[in-house]
Amino acid sequence: MKSAGNDIVALNAIDIQRTTSTAFYSKFIIPEERAFYQQPQFGAVPFQNFVWLLWSVKESAYKYLKRLQPDLVFSPSKLIIRNITVPHIQSTAEAAVWESGNKNEEFHTGEVISGTHRLYFRSKITGGFIASIVNDTPGFENVYWGIKSIQNTSYEHQSTEVREFILNKLRQILSVDNLRIEKTSEGCPVVFNAENLLDIAVSFTHHGYFVAYSFYSVSS
Amino acid sequence: MDRTAILSELKKVLSPYTENKEQLNGITEDTDLIKDLKINSANLVDIIIDAESQYNIEIDFDAAEKMYNVGNCIDVISEKLNKTA
């Protein structure tokens, strides 16, 4: 069974001083993960970005696994990041709308382990956000990922915008119009075409002035 | 401190992280921080840190992961307060 998981952290919505305090990051980053930051590849990465990168990967992995294990409780210290590779070229520029598809684009990548599950992540860091997705294969074949900036940060606006964003992409991919999103009792989003539940795992997220989706689909 | 008093104090901890003040005023032990109060998951650690400060306790990894609804938050805080009493 395929699943999907993503997360986004708006960098203007975080408290840098709090983020970089040991009391904060040690709640979800274990010492072995903290040690990654000593690697030379992180030389140009601010520590607060490193902390929120790990958070976004763990949150994405939790969402992915929650659909497969509905009784799963979010336990970030048990979602263990095994390795991280920083892209050679890091572009911090961002467009109003960004969607995956450029095969030459490099991301932060690595693995995240939860019990017997091994997942792979891709993360995109700009001046405005840190966004991550996870998948069960490292190639992310048939995984769609989009990020969009929005006009205000109210929960209602974020919620409406992210649903419209993903539904527009799904309509384009599936060539159907009557799509809607609901959430299961466990909080996992599901897609209906009229009254038919579609076999598409979707995930969406919002924070500050950003919304993002990811989903797996073999239709194109 | 009994559970009612902890709940009352907990509202102050949660307040900066939810837009829905009406829902916050009516929270019960079954209220889910994310689903009901619409708190962004990125603020969950802030809530744990603020709770530590509010109640002068330390909440470790294992306890923190239980704090996804109000009843569980009260369980954790109550247990930690009893240990420090």
Side-chain angles (χ1 to χ4, degrees):
Chain A
M1 180 182 176
K2 293 297 286 189
S3 187
N6 77 328
D7 187 51
I8 194 162
V9 175
L11 292 174
N12 71 348
I14 64 164
D15 180 333
I16 293 174
Q17 190 174 3
R18 172 170 275 197
T19 296
T20 54
S21 72
T22 308
F24 184 89
Y25 67 75
S26 65
K27 296 294 183 205
F28 59 92
I29 294 176
I30 63 173
E32 291 81 355
E33 294 169 326
R34 170 70 178 80
F36 291 137
Y37 194 65
Q38 305 309 317
Q39 297 174 351
Q41 62 174 345
F42 282 101
V45 178
F47 187 62
Q48 65 269 20
N49 284 14
F50 173 78
V51 170
W52 286 111
L53 169 65
L54 268 59
W55 172 271
S56 73
V57 171
K58 288 171 182 244
E59 173 81 12
S60 301
Y62 166 69
K63 288 180 176 177
Y64 188 100
L65 294 169
K66 179 76 174 173
R67 189 182 300 270
L68 308 177
Q69 303 168 238
D71 59 346
L72 186 69
V73 173
F74 185 37
S75 178
S77 59
K78 294 192 175 97
L79 296 159
I80 299 168
I81 295 171
R82 278 285 173 80
N83 56 62
I84 308 174
T85 301
V86 176
H88 297 100
I89 302 167
Q90 295 186 61
S91 169
T92 57
E94 62 198 34
V97 176
W98 173 88
E99 289 180 308
S100 58
N102 177 357
K103 293 192 186 312
N104 295 321
E105 185 162 1
E106 289 190 70
F107 304 100
H108 290 71
T109 60
E111 296 174 9
V112 55
I113 306 294
S114 173
T116 58
H117 292 274
R118 178 189 302 270
L119 299 174
Y120 302 87
F121 70 85
R122 284 182 175 178
S123 299
K124 180 176 175 65
I125 301 181
T126 70
F129 62 78
I130 295 171
S132 297
I133 56 172
V134 301
N135 191 42
D136 60 354
T137 59
F140 286 81
E141 297 86 0
N142 302 311
V143 175
Y144 294 79
W145 184 17
I147 301 165
K148 180 183 175 187
S149 62
I150 58 173
Q151 294 302 309
N152 79 61
T153 61
S154 75
Y155 183 89
E156 286 303 318
H157 186 70
Q158 292 170 327
S159 181
T160 302
E161 285 282 340
V162 77
R163 282 166 172 75
E164 271 309 299
F165 189 31
I166 189 170
L167 284 172
N168 283 338
K169 187 65 179 181
L170 286 166
R171 288 184 195 110
Q172 179 191 331
I173 298 292
L174 303 173
S175 300
V176 290
D177 290 327
N178 201 7
L179 297 176
R180 71 176 195 283
I181 287 177
E182 293 186 9
K183 281 195 171 181
T184 65
S185 57
E186 292 83 26
C188 298
V190 289
V191 185
F192 284 85
N193 179 18
E195 299 309 311
N196 301 316
L197 176 63
L198 300 185
D199 184 23
I200 296 179
V202 300
S203 175
F204 51 79
T205 178
H206 46 73
H207 192 214
Y209 288 99
F210 297 100
V211 299
Y213 68 74
S214 73
F215 63 88
Y216 172 87
S217 174
V218 291
S219 304
S220 62
Chain B
M1 189 181 281
D2 65 18
R3 296 182 75 84
T4 307
I6 294 173
L7 177 63
S8 176
E9 292 288 307
L10 190 58
K11 288 180 185 175
K12 295 177 195 166
V13 171
L14 299 176
S15 184
Y17 305 109
T18 179
E19 292 176 9
N20 195 339
K21 305 302 182 197
E22 197 174 323
Q23 179 101 13
L24 180 65
N25 286 333
I27 60 172
T28 69
E29 295 209 13
D30 292 327
T31 301
D32 187 288
L33 302 190
I34 293 174
K35 279 195 264 186
D36 299 324
L37 293 180
K38 315 294 187 196
I39 290 174
N40 194 291
S41 61
N43 291 127
L44 290 177
V45 183
D46 289 306
I47 289 167
I48 291 163
I49 299 288
D50 289 349
E52 288 184 325
S53 175
Q54 181 82 20
Y55 301 100
N56 195 26
I57 54 177
E58 188 169 330
I59 300 172
D60 54 33
F61 276 166
D62 291 341
E65 69 195 38
K66 297 174 191 161
M67 295 177 68
Y68 52 89
N69 79 8
V70 169
N72 289 348
C73 288
I74 295 173
D75 288 343
V76 169
I77 293 163
S78 179
E79 184 189 332
K80 298 293 177 187
L81 285 173
N82 287 336
K83 279 186 182 168
T84 57

